[in-house]
């Protein structure tokens, strides 16, 4: 997507691999746009890109709700599948 390419080329030396560095920049870009401007970006996305974006959004929202309610646990990349095997 051209928009992502533009952000990357502009800010790549300001980013680390950490999402926390990227979030304020990306959020700031969208914060200044109105609803119609944001929706124009959706028109450029393929079905696969839209599916990926909505999947990531829904996963993020579910994780936030779980964290707010203290449900589940953070694995920090560890495999806990043995905990559930009987």
């Amino acid at each position: 997507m051209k928009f992502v390419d533009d952000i990357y080329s502009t800010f790549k030396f300001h980013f680390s691999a950490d999402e926390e560095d990227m979030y304020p920049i990306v959020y700031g870009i969208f914060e200044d746009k109105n609803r119609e401007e944001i929706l124009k970006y959706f028109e450029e996305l393929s079905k696969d890109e839209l599916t990926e974006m909505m999947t990531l959004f829904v996963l993020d929202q579910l994780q936030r709700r779980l964290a707010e309610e203290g449900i589940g646990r953070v694995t920090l990349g560890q495999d806990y599948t043995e905990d559930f095997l009987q």
Side-chain angles (χ1 to χ4, degrees):
M1 176 180 195
K2 184 181 179 330
F3 181 66
V4 174
D5 293 340
D6 291 344
I7 293 172
Y8 181 77
S9 65
T10 302
F11 295 102
K12 66 183 174 185
F13 296 111
H14 300 278
F15 293 149
S16 68
D18 189 348
E19 180 181 316
E20 291 180 15
D21 292 342
M22 292 181 242
Y23 185 87
I25 292 171
V26 174
Y27 186 86
I29 291 168
F30 285 111
E31 185 178 42
D32 292 338
K33 299 196 179 307
N34 63 41
R35 180 179 172 81
E36 290 76 27
E37 291 172 315
I38 293 171
L39 289 175
K40 286 181 186 179
Y41 294 113
F42 284 88
E43 294 173 8
E44 297 176 17
L45 298 175
S46 69
K47 182 192 179 302
D48 289 342
E49 289 171 326
L50 278 170
T51 300
E52 180 181 0
M53 183 187 71
M54 287 305 300
T55 300
L56 292 172
F57 174 77
V58 170
L59 288 172
D60 179 68
Q61 294 301 304
L62 291 171
Q63 288 173 337
R64 286 177 190 236
R65 288 187 183 184
L66 289 170
E68 288 171 1
E69 295 183 19
I71 299 173
R73 62 178 162 183
V74 177
T75 63
L76 300 174
Q78 297 173 0
D79 182 8
Y80 288 103
T81 53
E82 290 181 19
D83 292 352
F84 301 105
L85 297 176
Q86 295 182 7

